[in-house]
Amino acid sequence: MSTSPTQTSISGVGGAVNSTAGKAQENAGVSLNSFLASLAVAATVFGVEFLLFILIKNRFSRIYQPRTYLVPQRERTRAPPSGIISWIVPVFRTSNSDFIQKSGLDAYFFLRYLRTLLKIFIPLALLILPVLLPINSVGGLGEAGNVKGLDQLSWTNINTRTHVNRYWAHLTLAVIVICYVCYIFYDELRGYIRLRQAYLTSPQHRLRASATTVLVTAIPRKWLTIDALDKLYDVYPGGLRNIWINRDFDELSEKVKKRNKLALKLEAAETDLVKKAVKAYKKKEKRNGKKTSKAEEMGADAQADEMASGPGVSSGNPHQIRHSVREALSDSPTPPPEGQKKPRLPVPIVGQGLGVVSGGIDKLSHTVAGGIKKVGRGVNERLNPTGGFSPGDDASQSENQLDPNFEDRGPTRAIPHQSDAGSRADNVGDRPRTINTETNEAADGEGGSSFAFWKKKGKKSAGDGDGKPQAARKRREDDEVPLSYPSPEAPGTNPQATVNENNNILRKKRKSILHWGHGAKEDDQKEEEFPVAFNEGHEEDDYGEPMWKRYLSESDRETMRLPIFGWTWMPSLPLLGKKVDTIYYCRKEVARLNVEIEQGQQDPERYPLMNSAFVQFNHQVAAHMACQSVSHHIPQHMTPRHVEVSPDDVIWENMSIRWWERYIRTALVIVVVGGLVIGWAFPVTFTGLVSQISYLTTVFPWLGWIKKLPGWLLGVISGVLPQLMLAILMAVLPMILRLLAKQQGVHTGMAMELSVQNYYFAFLFVQVFLVVSLSSGITTVIQQISKDVTSTPRVLAKNLPKAGNYFFSYLLLQAFSVSAGALVQIGGLISWFILSPLLDSTARQKWARQTSLPKVRWGTFFPVFTNLACIGLIYSVISPLILIFNITTFGLFWVVYRYNTLYVTKFRFDTGGLLYPKALNQLFTGLYVMELCLIGLFFLVRDENNKVVCFGQGIIMIVFTVLTVIYQFLVNDAFGPLLRYLPITLEDAAVARDEEFARAQRKRWNMGGEAEDEGENINDVLEERERRERDADRTAEEMEMRNIEAKKHKLNPRKLMPESSRWADRSRSRRSKDFGQYPRREEDEYTTSHQHMQRNNIKDLEAQRDSRIGNALFSGLHDVVEDLTPDERDKLVQRAFQHEALRAKRPVIWIPRDKLGISDDEVYRTQLFSKHIWISNEHTGLDSKGRVVYRRSPPDFSELDLIEL
């Protein structure tokens, strides 16, 4: 009987799902020699990767030590010793307090989780291995009983007829494992709560707005007003400080996303145009017989250095960016009085992104074969000792950084519009000239949009016809060409061909958005009108021939395809859609969106209200009390409530989801994740079929054309493609899970990570452990268990012991290959040596790659090690040899990730350690499977009469399984409220520490001392707290005895108690100046904290002179909130909890300067086209090879982005 091709390949859906079933059992009986061979291969891979790390870690500090200089001072760590082995000393000696202070609780608790796993498996190995290995191996079945290789050291080797009593040892050790893990679980939860409470109540953390702000969701319409929420939550100690009611800015947010995307496209297209023009000029010079010498190349690089150090030109700056805390607090980008000025962030010139990797590879190249030397020289050209930039004279650099008049420099760079190209190439900027932008200023009129978010609509300042204060019109960003100064007309220009917005030409109308609480009726519609954003009659040739046309043709310009049918949601498709010039199209769209966004930001109250709000309290304990109290009398209203929410971590599109909608979404997501966990075998099976391409061509005749392909291509398809497809699948899976968690309706990114932690662990446990262990397949097992739940122990007992050897190899791979790969930073090497040269062409892209450190997504990080620990617990008694591999794996990872946490990885958001108790609870999955498997194994032990001989052991194990469930439930029930919230009893001690910290701050400021980064040692805090608790207990006992004596003498016991003020009495209700309102502009004087920060600025620069890139990016930046007064923090917080679309700023189009003046001309023409586009070539340039270099952060960068509120 013949079978169909489909049946031959995969027999139905079940066959696809079960295609990897029982894979682990193929390793049953593996010989010791085979295992040692695989061990040798894994150890060799580890040795090679570790040796590579030792050789290059000091050469490429950008990859292996970025946290020593590429982060703000508060987060920096001291560089490790450069010795071969000495670098590991600080990895072990760094205290827990330093890890918490510089990396956060999540990073610390991950390292503690690895240490906890070692604390579990090391004692178990010392106890179990000496007992069970002899019991399992001596007098066992051996090869005569068909038990071979490493299986002779496991449960399966025991002779059930002669050594039945030996199973009592397995039972005893299993009970010890259960009890010990339960004790560790309890002890670690206690330690977690104690440490989390100490961290959250530390003065440094309590100053953050997130510590006292509660996110309230699902608010009924009746309570969705400032007054109602104020009356509702003002009952808590200390009262309220501020309230933000969220509004639905989804429409505005979509415009912001589109604007940012188009701005990046425009920036890339402009950069490409400049680079192409310069390249064409060089080719022309080469054709004319002019060869470039080495000296000329060095001169060109020096010229690029000079350009990048110079001011450049800028147009369309709305002065929305507050580059420093000082500017934000004064709400003005103007410089402070003399002596208080601070330089903007000077960034060393960084060429190809690789250039920032410190050091060369000269010494490394000498240790390699001679054939590699040429390659080494090529790489060293990109990785020069100066970090890929030409810093010039150190003294001049220092002077540039610390010049008190740095921000007040006038327009030292002028732009000639039409001049001889040759003279321009040789004499850059010799003829001063400013851009004539007076026409655009005059064109603004009353229809121009105001960029100040605090202004009321229609409000005008005295003496200003366009509603802008005169002071604001005079202010300019430092190093910016004044756009309102008159200048000579360029040849061929027409002064009348300008935008005239005084005509009030309105070109767009749309429906208004109905919103609550403002008297809007459902049938009322308001047409929103936008002023003209650009000169619709603008033509490039109207102002003379563009500079780029001297070197390029129209066909050389970058083009793009518009989405078909005008569907904005559809991506551009090749060969489909209208073809347009990228620069011209993006200019129009960016200008239009800038106008619409900024006009929408000026009137936020016209947008509809969401059903959520942020409520800030004066006391941290009040915020935690509000989260634990029942706010509304109807179920699921005004819940859930979240505290410790970072403003930048909010998922704004989920803020208006109703409670019932969240339930439905959660149910659907769980169903989808369940299907994903079970059905993941389909794509995995497909990748396996691709490797059998020759077989498939015979089974499916219509694939016969594949046989005609070249042999080498067939080898790639069958050998490389399956592995590549599988790697892509595993990389896509976390993205899918995060998307599902987001659709579930969670409100923050950290809450999303907590959901992903559950889903990813379920996936790993099923796919990595169960599927490969069960010989009959996961679908068959599910059907069998659904019919008879009691068959679960028997199914596990028949399958799991045979799969033990497979997981030996799996753990070896994780221990050696993966841990060494994490240490050698393979991803970082690929990013710098492959992706950076291919993808980074603009100054912003290179700056972003330079400043973006590797980040950890905890939701997919914890489950990997939890799954390995569960596998170790399951086999700890069945196949105890696995304990050795667990210890090796977790030990190596503990060392590797301590190093990465100290020196490599950046941590932005933090759950406060909430992933740790969840991971500890997931460890019980391994305990339960171990118990069920042992129950089945005990009942499968039978004598020659097929009678159960381990009935007692099985019953005892059933009892302990039930006790384990009860224990976990009771412990979680007892610790549950403390895992997330703070108790009231800690507030008195916390307030006392606040007062002590405030006194220390005042003393430090008065003495002019440097900022302290160390904070309090967390271990000292905990020891002090325990000592105080013991003293308090003794005091309470003494007081009780005094009360008893007082009753005997009929005295009032209260008179014997010492009077003391309480924290609730000492603190009055302090309202923010902007309580319940959108921020307004206020001119404040500079306070002591500002002066303190300015004093430390120069000291920081001098102390950190050795790391020039780190200094350039982060010196003088103040991201520590304890250096601010309460009113100053209020100013920063006021906008922090607003919708991200309301906080969005106009992006700058940052293009490189060139010696031909192409970029200057592009800035000029962009300004003539529209004043609503911010374009600048400040502090950028092109080197001798046409690569973009930069010396500062982008003009739209602000240090406020670094402050954790």
Side-chain angles (χ1 to χ4, degrees):
M1 182 176 179
S2 62
T3 59
S4 65
T6 304
Q7 291 174 333
T8 304
S9 58
I10 299 177
S11 57
V13 176
V17 176
N18 300 328
S19 58
T20 56
K23 181 180 179 181
Q25 298 189 16
E26 297 176 0
N27 287 36
V30 63
S31 65
L32 179 61
N33 291 333
S34 299
F35 175 76
L36 291 177
S38 61
L39 176 62
V41 172
T44 302
V45 173
F46 175 82
V48 170
E49 291 182 329
F50 184 76
L51 180 61
L52 178 64
F53 168 77
I54 294 297
L55 292 176
I56 66 178
K57 71 178 181 68
N58 294 324
R59 308 298 179 192
F60 306 143
S61 59
R62 172 56 185 83
I63 298 176
Y64 297 105
Q65 302 168 20
R67 281 177 60 90
T68 60
Y69 67 99
L70 264 182
V71 294
Q73 182 66 30
R74 177 178 57 88
E75 301 178 16
R76 292 187 186 181
T77 56
R78 185 175 300 176
S82 58
I84 297 178
I85 300 297
S86 57
W87 61 270
I88 206 171
V89 175
V91 173
F92 289 101
R93 287 188 175 179
T94 303
S95 65
N96 294 335
S97 300
D98 288 338
F99 275 106
I100 295 173
Q101 175 191 348
K102 299 182 181 299
S103 303
L105 281 183
D106 282 341
Y108 166 76
F109 276 115
F110 171 72
L111 296 175
R112 179 161 178 162
Y113 185 57
L114 293 177
R115 191 192 69 180
T116 299
L117 296 178
L118 290 174
K119 191 164 66 173
I120 290 175
F121 287 103
I122 290 177
L124 290 181
L126 295 176
L127 175 64
I128 293 176
L129 291 177
V131 177
L132 287 189
L133 289 183
I135 289 177
N136 293 337
S137 60
V138 176
L141 296 176
E143 295 187 1
N146 200 27
V147 179
K148 303 177 182 179
L150 296 179
D151 287 344
Q152 295 180 8
L153 301 176
S154 66
W155 173 291
T156 56
N157 192 45
I158 296 179
N159 193 326
T160 58
R161 297 187 177 182
T162 59
H163 300 105
V164 175
N165 291 332
R166 292 187 180 185
Y167 288 111
W168 285 105
H170 294 82
L171 174 66
T172 303
L173 291 174
V175 171
I176 292 176
V177 169
I178 296 169
C179 294
Y180 181 63
V181 172
C182 288
Y183 165 75
I184 293 295
F185 176 67
Y186 171 80
D187 185 62
E188 286 300 314
L189 282 185
R190 282 193 60 188
Y192 161 79
I193 291 172
R194 184 172 58 184
L195 192 57
R196 175 178 162 86
Q197 290 174 351
Y199 176 80
L200 294 184
T201 57
S202 63
Q204 295 90 336
H205 181 80
R206 283 162 60 90
L207 290 176
R208 296 183 182 179
S210 57
T212 57
T213 304
V214 175
L215 170 59
V216 185
T217 61
I219 304 176
R221 183 171 179 176
K222 174 184 176 182
W223 297 94
L224 206 56
T225 64
I226 298 293
D227 185 60
L229 291 175
D230 183 20
K231 292 178 179 178
L232 179 64
Y233 287 108
D234 195 46
V235 299
Y236 294 102
L240 300 183
R241 190 168 190 85
N242 213 336
I243 296 176
W244 299 268
I245 295 182
N246 301 319
R247 294 183 177 273
D248 188 355
F249 293 100
D250 286 350
E251 182 182 1
L252 190 63
S253 181
E254 289 299 321
K255 289 184 178 180
V256 171
K257 293 176 182 177
K258 183 178 179 181
R259 190 262 307 270
N260 294 341
K261 181 180 178 181
L262 291 173
L264 292 177
K265 269 190 176 180
L266 177 58
E267 188 174 83
E270 290 279 13
T271 301
D272 185 65
L273 180 70
V274 174
K275 293 169 69 175
K276 283 182 177 178
V278 172
K279 186 177 181 181
Y281 168 77
K282 290 182 177 180
K283 287 184 177 179
K284 181 179 178 181
E285 292 290 317
K286 191 175 182 179
R287 285 196 301 267
N288 293 336
K290 183 178 179 181
K291 295 183 179 180
T292 304
S293 64
K294 190 69 175 179
E296 289 176 333
E297 287 185 359
M298 295 177 63
D301 288 335
Q303 194 175 45
D305 182 7
E306 181 182 355
M307 286 184 178
S309 302
V313 293
S314 175
S315 169
N317 185 356
H319 298 280
Q320 297 172 327
I321 305 297
R322 303 296 180 258
H323 293 96
S324 65
V325 175
R326 171 189 49 77
E327 291 181 1
L329 296 179
S330 64
D331 234 345
S332 170
T334 55
E338 190 71 23
Q340 295 186 26
K341 303 181 189 296
K342 186 178 72 173
R344 282 183 53 199
L345 315 174
V347 178
I349 296 182
V350 181
Q352 290 294 96
L354 298 173
V356 300
V357 185
S358 72
I361 59 171
D362 307 71
K363 296 181 180 179
L364 177 61
S365 63
H366 292 304
T367 63
V368 191
I372 308 298
K373 291 183 179 179
K374 186 176 181 180
V375 179
R377 288 192 296 269
V379 176
N380 194 38
E381 184 179 354
R382 308 172 76 94
L383 304 173
N384 54 71
T386 59
F389 67 98
S390 302
D393 190 358
D394 289 341
S396 64
Q397 182 187 7
S398 174
E399 180 182 357
N400 186 33
Q401 288 181 339
L402 303 177
D403 181 11
N405 299 318
F406 184 70
E407 288 198 11
D408 280 350
R409 288 201 305 266
T412 59
R413 174 73 173 97
I415 304 179
H417 173 56
Q418 297 285 340
S419 63
D420 181 70
S423 62
R424 178 184 294 274
D426 297 330
N427 304 297
V428 180
D430 287 342
R431 288 177 295 279
R433 176 181 174 84
T434 57
I435 302 178
N436 184 358
T437 60
E438 191 175 36
T439 53
N440 259 18
E441 287 289 333
D444 239 0
E446 296 179 0
S449 60
S450 174
F451 306 112
F453 60 85
W454 51 81
K455 289 191 178 226
K456 293 184 178 179
K457 191 173 182 180
K459 183 177 180 179
K460 299 182 180 180
S461 300
D464 195 350
D466 61 356
K468 299 179 182 178
Q470 292 180 352
R473 294 173 60 91
K474 293 179 181 178
R475 295 188 184 101
R476 295 185 301 275
E477 196 67 19
D478 58 314
D479 309 329
E480 180 182 4
V481 172
L483 301 182
S484 58
Y485 288 179
S487 62
E489 296 175 11
T493 59
N494 181 4
Q496 303 299 324
T498 59
V499 183
N500 188 358
E501 292 180 5
N502 281 326
N503 294 333
N504 293 324
I505 303 173
L506 304 173
R507 64 179 180 84
K508 181 171 181 180
K509 299 180 179 180
R510 66 172 182 148
K511 294 182 179 180
S512 67
I513 303 175
L514 300 177
H515 59 282
W516 300 346
H518 294 277
K521 298 181 180 179
E522 294 184 0
D523 56 345
D524 289 344
Q525 292 184 354
K526 180 178 65 176
E527 292 181 347
E528 185 175 359
E529 301 172 342
F530 298 112
V532 172
F534 54 86
N535 185 354
E536 295 181 350
H538 173 83
E539 295 291 341
E540 288 279 278
D541 294 335
D542 290 345
Y543 308 99
E545 183 185 37
M547 292 292 298
W548 61 267
K549 282 192 174 181
R550 300 185 179 185
Y551 311 100
L552 302 173
S553 63
E554 290 281 353
S555 60
D556 294 324
R557 291 173 62 91
E558 188 173 327
T559 59
M560 59 182 291
R561 296 275 182 179
L562 299 181
I564 59 176
F565 308 123
W567 294 339
T568 56
W569 52 268
M570 177 175 286
S572 301
L573 301 175
L575 305 179
L576 296 177
K578 182 181 178 181
K579 187 177 182 180
V580 296
D581 185 281
T582 301
I583 294 178
Y584 295 153
Y585 174 79
C586 290
R587 276 180 184 172
K588 293 181 180 179
E589 289 299 299
V590 169
R592 175 182 66 83
L593 290 171
N594 280 338
V595 170
E596 295 180 8
I597 290 169
E598 288 160 6
Q599 183 163 315
Q601 291 173 336
Q602 291 176 7
D603 188 17
E605 294 185 355
R606 67 183 179 82
Y607 290 90
L609 292 171
M610 289 181 174
N611 61 347
S612 60
F614 289 98
V615 180
Q616 185 183 14
F617 295 86
N618 281 305
H619 279 312
Q620 182 185 39
V621 69
H624 286 261
M625 291 170 67
C627 285
Q628 298 178 78
S629 303
V630 179
S631 295
H632 202 272
H633 58 281
I634 299 178
Q636 300 303 324
H637 284 59
M638 302 188 76
T639 185
R641 295 174 297 280
H642 308 279
V643 72
E644 298 289 343
V645 175
S646 174
D648 295 330
D649 194 38
V650 175
I651 304 177
W652 291 100
E653 51 264 43
N654 289 349
M655 297 293 282
S656 59
I657 294 178
R658 297 175 177 86
W659 66 269
W660 55 267
E661 186 179 355
R662 189 172 62 252
Y663 273 60
I664 295 174
R665 285 172 174 239
T666 301
L668 293 176
V669 167
I670 291 175
V671 171
V672 173
V673 171
L676 193 64
V677 169
I678 303 300
W680 191 252
F682 282 106
V684 174
T685 302
F686 177 75
T687 61
L689 291 176
V690 173
S691 64
Q692 305 294 329
I693 193 68
S694 300
Y695 172 73
L696 290 178
T697 55
T698 59
V699 174
F700 300 101
W702 55 274
L703 292 176
W705 59 273
I706 297 180
K707 293 182 177 180
K708 301 178 182 179
L709 296 175
W712 65 268
L713 184 57
L714 285 175
V716 171
I717 293 176
S718 60
V720 179
L721 188 59
Q723 303 299 325
L724 179 62
M725 293 172 62
L726 187 59
I728 293 175
L729 280 175
M730 297 308 297
V732 168
L733 176 64
M735 302 179 189
I736 297 175
L737 294 178
R738 286 191 174 88
L739 177 63
L740 292 174
K742 185 177 181 180
Q743 296 303 316
Q744 183 177 335
V746 295
H747 300 103
T748 65
M750 289 295 97
M752 183 173 66
E753 292 300 310
L754 289 168
S755 297
V756 171
Q757 184 183 12
N758 289 330
Y759 301 149
Y760 196 54
F761 172 71
F763 174 86
L764 291 177
F765 191 76
V766 172
Q767 288 293 329
V768 175
F769 173 68
L770 288 182
V771 169
V772 300
S773 300
L774 303 176
S775 60
S776 55
I778 189 66
T779 56
T780 305
V781 170
I782 291 176
Q783 294 175 0
Q784 184 177 352
I785 293 178
S786 62
K787 294 178 181 178
D788 182 13
V789 179
T790 59
S791 64
T792 303
R794 183 173 65 255
V795 172
L796 295 176
K798 289 182 177 180
N799 290 276
L800 295 190
K802 302 176 183 178
N805 294 339
Y806 170 83
F807 293 108
F808 293 170
S809 302
Y810 180 74
L811 285 171
L812 272 180
L813 176 66
Q814 296 289 324
F816 290 108
S817 300
V818 180
S819 65
L823 185 64
V824 82
Q825 294 293 319
I826 295 178
L829 294 174
I830 293 175
S831 174
W832 282 105
F833 288 93
I834 299 178
L835 298 183
S836 179
L838 293 177
L839 303 180
D840 298 345
S841 59
T842 68
R844 186 185 301 275
Q845 289 171 339
K846 295 182 178 184
W847 173 85
R849 193 175 296 275
Q850 163 77 331
T851 57
S852 299
L853 272 61
K855 296 179 177 60
V856 173
R857 307 298 293 269
W858 295 115
T860 51
F861 214 67
F862 270 87
V864 174
F865 301 95
T866 305
N867 188 53
L868 297 178
C870 287
I871 293 174
L873 290 175
I874 292 169
Y875 285 99
S876 59
V877 176
I878 300 172
S879 186
L881 198 61
I882 201 171
L883 295 173
I884 297 176
F885 303 108
N886 278 109
I887 294 172
T888 305
T889 300
F890 297 133
L892 288 175
F893 275 115
W894 184 70
V895 175
V896 167
Y897 285 116
R898 279 182 72 91
Y899 179 89
N900 287 349
T901 301
L902 270 179
Y903 301 115
V904 179
T905 311
K906 168 75 173 177
F907 304 95
R908 182 72 171 102
F909 303 114
D910 200 90
T911 67
L914 293 175
L915 299 109
Y916 184 62
K918 188 182 290 291
L920 291 176
N921 273 280
Q922 290 172 347
L923 285 179
F924 278 82
T925 305
L927 276 185
Y928 294 139
V929 174
M930 180 197 75
E931 292 168 341
L932 292 175
C933 184
L934 287 176
I935 291 172
L937 287 172
F938 284 134
F939 283 111
L940 285 177
V941 177
R942 301 173 184 268
D943 56 14
E944 59 274 8
N945 299 322
N946 199 29
K947 181 181 178 181
V948 177
V949 295
C950 289
F951 183 82
Q953 292 95 323
I955 295 299
I956 294 175
M957 189 53 59
I958 292 175
V959 172
F960 270 91
T961 302
V962 175
L963 292 177
T964 304
V965 175
I966 297 174
Y967 174 83
Q968 185 185 12
F969 173 79
L970 292 177
V971 172
N972 281 319
D973 183 66
F975 285 103
L978 296 174
L979 295 179
R980 188 179 292 265
Y981 303 115
L982 292 174
I984 302 175
T985 54
L986 299 178
E987 187 66 12
D988 277 322
V991 170
R993 288 195 299 271
D994 289 347
E995 295 172 350
E996 182 180 352
F997 178 77
R999 288 193 297 269
Q1001 286 289 90
R1002 288 192 295 269
K1003 181 179 179 181
R1004 176 164 60 90
W1005 290 348
N1006 293 335
M1007 294 177 62
E1010 296 187 3
E1012 295 284 345
D1013 288 336
E1014 298 300 326
E1016 298 183 23
N1017 188 299
I1018 204 70
N1019 295 320
D1020 295 342
V1021 171
L1022 300 182
E1023 292 175 1
E1024 177 65 19
R1025 178 178 300 172
E1026 291 179 352
R1027 185 188 63 78
R1028 288 199 307 268
E1029 289 176 354
R1030 290 193 299 268
D1031 294 342
D1033 290 341
R1034 287 195 296 269
T1035 304
E1037 292 176 1
E1038 295 174 359
M1039 187 60 64
E1040 183 66 22
M1041 296 301 298
R1042 294 173 63 184
N1043 289 343
I1044 294 175
E1045 294 296 329
K1047 289 180 180 179
K1048 292 180 180 180
H1049 296 85
K1050 297 182 179 181
L1051 296 176
N1052 185 359
R1054 293 182 177 271
K1055 294 183 179 180
L1056 300 177
M1057 300 178 65
E1059 294 184 1
S1060 61
S1061 60
R1062 297 176 300 169
W1063 57 267
D1065 297 332
R1066 292 196 298 268
S1067 300
R1068 296 173 296 172
S1069 178
R1070 300 185 301 272
R1071 295 288 179 90
S1072 170
K1073 294 180 180 179
D1074 297 312
F1075 180 82
Q1077 301 176 3
Y1078 288 95
R1080 294 188 178 88
R1081 181 191 183 104
E1082 293 183 4
E1083 298 289 347
D1084 291 347
E1085 296 180 357
Y1086 300 97
T1087 62
T1088 304
S1089 65
H1090 301 126
Q1091 297 168 359
H1092 165 71
M1093 289 191 294
Q1094 296 301 323
R1095 287 196 303 266
N1096 280 343
N1097 179 30
I1098 296 179
K1099 295 180 180 180
D1100 289 342
L1101 286 171
E1102 293 174 348
Q1104 302 164 14
R1105 190 67 54 102
D1106 292 338
S1107 299
R1108 284 170 291 186
I1109 297 178
N1111 289 337
L1113 291 174
F1114 296 108
S1115 285
L1117 297 189
H1118 299 279
D1119 63 334
V1120 185
V1121 294
E1122 53 259 35
D1123 282 340
L1124 306 176
T1125 66
D1127 289 338
E1128 293 168 350
R1129 288 194 295 270
D1130 282 342
K1131 281 194 172 185
L1132 298 182
V1133 171
Q1134 185 64 25
R1135 282 181 57 81
F1137 282 101
Q1138 291 180 0
H1139 195 287
E1140 60 183 358
L1142 207 60
R1143 293 181 277 122
K1145 303 298 183 183
R1146 182 188 297 186
V1148 63
I1149 311 302
W1150 198 28
I1151 62 177
R1153 298 180 67 191
D1154 64 286
K1155 64 180 182 180
L1156 303 178
I1158 306 297
S1159 66
D1160 292 347
D1161 187 62
E1162 287 299 298
V1163 174
Y1164 174 83
R1165 294 182 178 277
T1166 302
Q1167 189 277 330
L1168 292 176
F1169 176 74
S1170 172
K1171 70 161 198 167
H1172 298 290
I1173 301 177
W1174 184 8
I1175 183 170
S1176 171
N1177 61 11
E1178 301 175 65
H1179 306 290
T1180 58
L1182 292 177
D1183 64 9
S1184 60
K1185 296 185 178 180
R1187 299 174 300 193
V1188 177
V1189 295
Y1190 65 93
R1191 196 180 183 88
R1192 293 194 182 183
S1193 297
D1196 54 2
F1197 171 78
S1198 172
E1199 74 177 53
L1200 300 182
D1201 299 332
L1202 302 175
I1203 298 179
E1204 297 181 7
L1205 297 172

